[in-house]
Amino acid sequence: MEKVKNIIMVIFGASGDLTKRKLMPAIYMLHKDGRLPLSFAIVGISRTPYTDEEYRTYIKENLMLYMKPEEIPSEEDIDKFTSYLHYHAMNPAERDDYKGLNSYLRELDKKIGSKGNYLYYLATPPSLYGVIPQHLKAENLNLNEGKEGKKRIIVEKPFGFDLQSAQSLNEIYRRTFDEEQIFRIDHFLGKETVQNILAFRFANSIFEPLWNRNYVDYVEVTAVENMGIENRGGFFDQTGTLRDMVQNHLIQLLALTAMEPPVAFNATSFRDEVLKVYNSLIPLNETDLREHIVRGQYIASERDQSYREEKNVDPQSRTETYIAMRLELNNWRWKGVPFYIRTGKQMPTKVSEIVIHFKPTPQLLFNCEQGECPKANKLILRIQPNEGILLKIGTKVPGTGFDIHEVEMDFNYKDFNNLSTEDAYSRLIEDCILGDPTLFTRSDAVEASWKFFSPILDYWKNHPEAPLYGYPAGSWGPKESEAMMTEHHAEWTNPCKNLTKTNLYCEL
Ligand code: BG6
């Protein structure tokens, strides 16, 4: 791995949603913290005909909208940052346009001295993920040139549409770039709290002996959002929640929770262990496909319109905006322990968390007449918001008798020396500049994940009668997802207490 000191970052999809909402604020933060390479430039690429000045103004306006209020830059600083920005209008799908790109980059390279170091970021619709690397190769824009002149490429998710398309895409990348040049991004892995799952498990010894089928009853992985699909109807309606969230983000969370300790903390060992988890997912049979997956789509409620009324969504759409499912792993550590995962749009709140439900004590020695009865210990790894870790334990209520009440031991990131958690995209873009692929997905892992999830898509395609449950926008999703868990006497940990049939709006 090698840090490059000078680099041109070429963003395909420069006028898109991802660039303005996530990438630019993340790169701005690297600039603010002095973490960008010495010579640095960004070339925005899309078909919209901007001049450099117009593009700078467009990004400036969006930074004001999408930066966290406490991080909004001063006028002076924003001008410094936008001076990195350049713009080159072209059609990324057109082979011939890459000749112009090649000369444009060479010219800029001479001006800023980036020595042929180019980092391509594919923030485009997924249909271009296979086209761009081939066109770059046709202009030799894929080739490392000696010691300097590194070329790297970051590809957004979903990488592939199913197993077959992911394999074809990997094949294209194999022909155009070396694996060490390819950075398949899953921004959940860039989150501080997701990385902390590893630290929590492998930098502490007290929980690891309990982290297995002997002590764990079941595991919940939740990543739900209170927003809908925003302006992304065109993309989302073709993609759906399984491809958008489950095949990548949720399964990564599950992998970090379930994996064995890597022999060392490096890219190969870490990614080998992630792959082993994917390879031990027990393939779903017909019964599982029917009974252990609940798919939903939000319908109109007092809070919002229905999914089918969203812009650029087919009014008859059967695309899922919610999924809950039960998975199992076939390995020594986890055999027989259900993992319940769930994600959805238009839920009452935004929360991502992993809940480890430990087995209850074999015998109930005490009463719990006052307050909430502790059922069993729960460990909650809170990814976002209120980042932290919470352990629920039973405690004696002071006074006569032996009444037990559930209390919480709570660690909050915000109490940690006032350090704020870093933005996921900043971390990952910097890692790519440093040449560190640890937190990026390897080709074999993408395929192993698709191997497990593709049959679900096939099943839905071949069984148009498979239910797609409506749930009111702002509710916790189809009630069938609760029913799926009762078989195991399990229940979702909704962070929302007062949800009733008439009150769908959660007060935390
Ligand atoms: C993206 C999905 O990868 O992750 C979006 O495409 C989703 O649909 C987003 O909203 C959630 O990420 P975060 O970091 O806001 O939880």
Side-chain angles (χ1 to χ4, degrees), residues 157 187-188 191 225 227 232 244 249 345 350 384:
K157 50 139 278 273
H187 79 278
F188 265 50
K191 290 180 193 276
E225 298 172 273
M227 55 182 209
R232 301 194 305 154
D244 187 44
H249 300 329
K345 303 276 185 205
K350 179 170 170 90
Q384 63 190 21

Side-chain angles (χ1 to χ4, degrees), residues 43-59:
V43 177
I45 300 221
S46 70
R47 285 181 301 180
T48 320
Y50 289 119
T51 61
D52 282 2
E53 263 331 296
E54 284 165 345
Y55 189 60
R56 286 173 186 162
T57 309
Y58 165 77
I59 293 302

